[in-house]
C-alpha cells in the first residue's frame, strides 16, 4: 500500500493510480522503501538520493514566516493540528500557468476504498452520483469530505473514526496483519493539475503510510513509512537548489501536503514550485462544505448569533436573520427561489424576534398570515436550506475560510449526500436549475448523490454531470 514503492520516477504521467501501489486486492502497507525524487531537470531519479540533504527541523515557522510561506491557523478544536493558512498559490513561471484560475478539485480517485476499486471520477461544476443502494454513493462523497478535512489539518483519527470499515473486504493483510485503503484527487488551478495520492494503514494502527504530490509530471513530495515503531513517516520534497531534495520526518497522522508551507522556505525555484502546488491543493480541498439539512432540527426558534450555517442547518433561522439584515439582495433572491419550491404564493421570508431573545423564521404568503418555518414540510425545509447554501458563500457557512486568499480566488464546493431526499419533482428540478445557474460563474460547485428520478432529470439538464455507480 506504500505509494512510494522504492524510487519515485521522474516522469509520472504514464503511471495510472493503480500503478503506484500493489494490487487493490492486496492492500498491504509496506514498511520499507526509499522514495527518490527527481532532480530539477526531471530526467530521472536523483543520483544524489543516497546522500541525504540538510535535515529540516520539526518546526520552521520562523523561516516560513520570513519567506511568506504562511502562518499558523487558529485552532478550532483542541485536537486539531495547527496547519499553515494558505496565501493562495504562488504561480511558478510556466507556459501553462493560469494566475487567474481558482483552485478546484476536478477528479476524485478511490483506488481502494470500501467497495470501490480503481475508480476515478471526473468532477464538473455540478456532479451527481447515482446508482442502486450499496453502489457507493455515500462513501464516494465521504472520501471527498475526508480529503477536505485532512487538507484543513484535522487529524487522521477524527477523519476516519471507523477506518477498519473502509478497508476493501478482499484486502489481504501482510505478515504483520496490516491492511489499509487508498484515495486521492486532482486539484486544478494556477499551477495546472496537481495530483495528491494517499495510502492509509487502518489495521492494526491507523496511520498515513504513503503520500505523493505531483505536478507537471514531477514528484514534488513523497513520504514512506520507514520505521513502524515511530509515529512519523520519512518525507522528501523537491528542492532543485544545492541539493536536489530535502528530507525530514513528518507526523503520520496529518496530511504532509498541508504542512509543507511551514517546512519549505521558498528560496529556490524548486521550493517555490512545491509551495505553489501544496497551497493550491490545500485551498482547493478546504473549499468543501458538507451540507445535510435535518428538518427535525430546523423547526425550533434559535438564539441570534454570528449567522454561520451549520452542517445540519439547525440554525437556519439565525442565518436568515443575518441575511435579512446584512444581505438584503441575497435574501430577496432566496425568497424568490422559495416561491418555486414551497406551497402557495410566497411573497417573502421574514424573521420574528421573540420575547425570550430567540428568532423565528417565517414564510410570508399572499393573502395569508405568516407561516413559521417549523410548520413547513420536510421537503420544503430541505429545499430552503440547500437553496440558501447555493446562494451564500464561505463567509455565511460554518467552514474554514481561507482568510488570506482573495475572494476572487476562493470557491465553494457543496457536498450533499441525498441531495433530493424528501424533495418532490418540482423542488428537485428547481434546485438543479439553481445549481447550474450558480455554478456558471465558477464560484460554487456541487457534488451530491441523487435517486433515479432526479438522475433522469439531471441527464436532461445541460451543465450537469451524472455518474452512475451501478453501471
Amino acid at each position: 500500500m506504500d505509494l512510494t514503492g522504492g524510487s519515485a520516477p521522474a516522469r509520472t504521467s504514464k503511471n495510472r493510480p493503480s500503478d503506484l501501489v500493489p494490487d487493490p486486492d492486496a492492500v498491504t502497507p509496506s514498511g520499507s522503501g526509499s522514495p527518490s525524487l527527481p532532480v530539477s531537470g526531471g530526467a530521472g531519479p536523483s543520483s544524489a538520493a543516497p546522500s541525504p540533504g540538510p535535515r529540516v527541523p520539526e518546526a520552521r515557522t520562523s523561516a516560513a514566516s520570513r519567506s511568506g510561506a504562511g502562518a499558523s491557523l487558529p485552532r478550532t478544536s483542541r485536537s486539531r493540528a495547527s496547519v499553515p493558512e494558505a496565501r493562495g498559490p504562488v504561480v511558478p513561471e510556466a507556459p501553462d500557468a493560469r494566475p487567474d484560475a481558482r483552485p478546484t478539485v476536478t477528479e476524485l480517485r478511490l483506488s481502494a476504498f470500501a467497495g470501490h476499486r480503481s475508480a476515478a471520477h471526473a468532477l464538473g461544476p455540478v456532479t451527481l452520483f447515482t446508482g442502486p443502494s450499496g453502489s457507493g454513493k455515500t462513501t464516494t462523497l465521504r472520501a471527498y469530505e475526508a480529503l477536505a478535512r485532512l487538507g484543513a489539518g484535522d487529524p487522521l483519527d477524527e477523519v476516519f473514526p471507523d477506518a477498519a470499515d473502509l478497508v476493501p473486504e478482499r484486502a489481504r493483510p501482510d505478515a504483520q496483519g496490516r491492511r489499509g485503503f487508498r484515495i486521492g484527487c486532482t486539484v486544478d488551478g494556477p499551477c495546472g493539475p496537481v495530483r495528491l495520492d494517499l495510502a492509509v494503514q487502518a489495521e492494526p494502527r491507523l496511520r498515513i503510510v504513503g503520500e505523493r504530490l505531483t505536478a507537471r509530471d514531477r514528484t514534488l513530495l513523497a513520504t514512506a513509512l520507514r520505521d513502524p515503531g515511530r509515529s512519523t513517516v520519512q518525507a522528501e520534497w523537491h528542492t532543485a537548489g544545492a541539493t536536489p531534495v530535502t528530507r525530514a520526518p513528518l507526523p503520520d497522522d496529518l496530511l504532509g501536503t498541508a504542512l509543507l508551507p511551514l517546512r519549505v522556505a521558498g528560496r529556490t525555484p524548486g521550493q517555490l514550485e512545491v509551495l505553489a502546488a501544496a497551497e493550491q491543493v490545500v485551498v482547493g480541498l478546504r473549499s468543501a462544505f458538507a451540507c445535510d439539512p435535518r428538518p427535525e432540527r430546523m423547526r425550533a426558534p434559535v438564539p441570534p448569533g454570528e449567522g454561520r450555517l451549520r452542517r445540519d442547518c439547525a440554525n437556519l433561522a439565525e442565518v436568515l436573520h443575518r441575511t435579512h439584515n446584512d444581505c438584503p439582495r441575497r435574501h430577496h433572491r432566496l425568497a424568490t427561489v422559495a416561491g418555486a419550491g414551497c406551497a402557495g404564493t410566497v411573497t417573502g421570508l421574514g424573521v420574528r424576534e421573540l420575547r425570550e431573545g430567540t428568532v423565528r423564521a417565517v414564510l410570508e404568503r399572499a393573502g395569508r398570515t405568516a407561516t413559521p418555518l417549523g410548520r413547513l414540510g420536510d421537503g420544503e425545509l430541505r429545499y430552503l436550506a440547500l437553496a440558501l447554501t447555493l446562494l451564500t458563500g464561505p463567509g455565511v457557512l460554518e467552514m474554514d475560510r481561507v482568510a488570506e486568499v482573495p475572494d476572487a480566488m476562493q470557491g465553494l464546493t457543496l457536498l450533499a449526500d441525498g441531495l433530493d431526499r424528501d424533495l418532490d419533482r418540482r423542488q428537485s428540478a428547481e434546485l438543479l436549475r439553481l445549481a447550474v445557474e450558480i455554478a456558471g460563474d465558477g464560484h460554487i460547485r456541487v457534488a451530491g448523490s441523487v435517486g433515479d428520478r432526479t438522475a433522469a432529470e439531471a441527464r436532461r439538464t445541460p451543465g450537469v454531470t451524472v455518474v452512475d455507480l451501478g453501471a
Side-chain angles (χ1 to χ4, degrees):
M1 192 177 70
D2 182 4
L3 285 174
T4 53
S7 61
R11 310 286 291 184
T12 59
S13 60
K14 295 182 180 180
N15 291 337
R16 297 164 55 91
S18 57
D19 295 332
L20 299 177
V21 289
D23 183 353
D25 284 341
V27 187
T28 55
S30 170
S32 62
S34 174
S36 175
L37 295 181
V39 296
S40 58
S46 170
S47 60
S51 175
R55 182 172 296 276
V56 180
E58 280 299 309
R60 295 190 61 177
T61 53
S62 59
S65 176
R66 288 193 300 268
S67 65
S72 292
L73 281 173
R75 292 177 181 265
T76 57
S77 67
R78 292 185 179 180
S79 59
R80 181 168 183 166
S82 177
V83 299
E85 179 71 54
R87 301 174 284 124
V90 179
V91 184
E93 294 183 3
D96 58 344
R98 294 167 296 156
D100 58 341
R102 187 178 293 108
T104 302
V105 179
T106 55
E107 184 183 56
L108 181 65
R109 292 184 295 279
L110 309 176
S111 301
F113 186 73
H116 301 275
R117 296 177 64 247
S118 303
H121 304 299
L123 303 178
V126 179
T127 305
L128 301 180
F129 295 93
T130 189
S133 178
S135 60
K137 301 184 294 293
T138 296
T139 52
T140 297
L141 293 175
R142 182 178 179 186
Y144 192 131
E145 183 184 1
L147 289 169
R149 292 184 61 186
L150 289 171
D154 285 358
L156 201 63
D157 59 351
E158 291 186 7
V159 176
F160 297 113
D162 55 348
D165 295 336
L166 301 175
V167 179
E169 290 183 357
R170 291 186 291 171
R172 300 187 299 270
D174 65 5
Q176 287 74 41
R178 297 177 295 184
R179 300 196 309 157
F181 53 85
R182 294 165 295 131
I183 56 178
C185 66
T186 298
V187 180
D188 209 344
C191 304
V194 180
R195 291 172 55 100
L196 171 67
D197 291 288
L198 195 66
V200 177
Q201 174 188 296
E203 299 171 346
R205 172 190 165 194
L206 182 62
R207 65 198 312 178
I208 295 175
V209 295
E211 181 178 346
R212 176 174 289 170
L213 187 71
T214 57
R216 296 191 179 91
D217 301 336
R218 190 193 307 279
T219 301
L220 302 179
L221 167 71
T223 72
L225 179 65
R226 299 287 184 80
D227 185 352
R230 295 186 177 182
S231 300
T232 59
V233 291
Q234 185 66 19
E236 295 184 356
W237 58 81
H238 184 61
T239 305
T243 56
V245 297
T246 299
R247 299 179 176 86
L250 292 178
D252 65 359
D253 64 339
L254 299 173
L255 188 69
T257 297
L259 298 175
L260 283 181
L262 287 178
R263 301 298 186 100
V264 181
R267 295 190 180 96
T268 69
Q271 290 176 339
L272 289 174
E273 185 178 1
V274 171
L275 280 175
E279 291 178 349
Q280 176 170 299
V281 169
V282 169
V283 172
L285 286 176
R286 285 178 56 183
S287 70
F289 176 70
C291 185
D292 185 17
R294 298 288 181 176
E296 68 275 10
R297 304 177 186 176
M298 300 162 58
R299 302 183 185 281
V302 296
E306 63 176 345
R308 300 187 70 194
L309 190 67
R310 297 196 291 267
R311 178 192 184 111
D312 61 1
C313 302
N315 63 331
L316 179 64
E318 174 195 352
V319 179
L320 291 176
H321 181 262
R322 174 184 173 182
T323 59
H324 182 269
N325 295 326
D326 300 343
C327 315
R329 292 180 60 186
R330 185 177 299 171
H331 188 87
H332 177 73
R333 187 176 183 188
L334 177 63
T336 302
V337 172
C342 296
T345 303
V346 178
T347 59
L349 277 171
V351 179
R352 303 287 187 266
E353 297 182 1
L354 306 181
R355 291 182 178 179
E356 56 268 27
T358 58
V359 294
R360 169 186 289 152
V362 297
L363 194 67
E364 299 170 351
R365 293 188 175 105
R368 297 171 55 179
T369 58
T371 304
L373 259 58
R375 291 180 175 269
L376 299 183
D378 287 359
E380 290 176 308
L381 285 174
R382 281 185 55 82
Y383 172 81
L384 285 175
L386 291 168
L388 174 62
T389 305
L390 288 171
L391 290 171
T392 57
V396 186
L397 306 175
E398 194 174 70
M399 59 181 290
D400 281 323
R401 189 168 184 270
V402 189
E404 297 184 13
V405 176
D407 288 342
M409 290 291 293
Q410 294 196 41
L412 168 68
T413 298
L414 169 63
L415 304 180
D417 187 22
L419 179 67
D420 58 346
R421 189 189 315 139
D422 296 329
L423 303 186
D424 61 25
R425 188 183 301 274
R426 177 182 58 131
Q427 292 166 334
S428 299
E430 180 61 25
L431 204 60
L432 276 178
R433 185 201 64 77
L434 180 63
V436 172
E437 177 187 346
I438 296 297
D441 64 8
H443 284 277
I444 293 181
R445 296 166 69 90
V446 178
S449 64
V450 296
D452 293 340
R453 187 188 65 192
T454 304
E457 177 71 23
R459 290 188 181 96
R460 299 190 294 268
T461 304
V464 180
T465 301
V466 179
V467 179
D468 191 346
L469 297 179

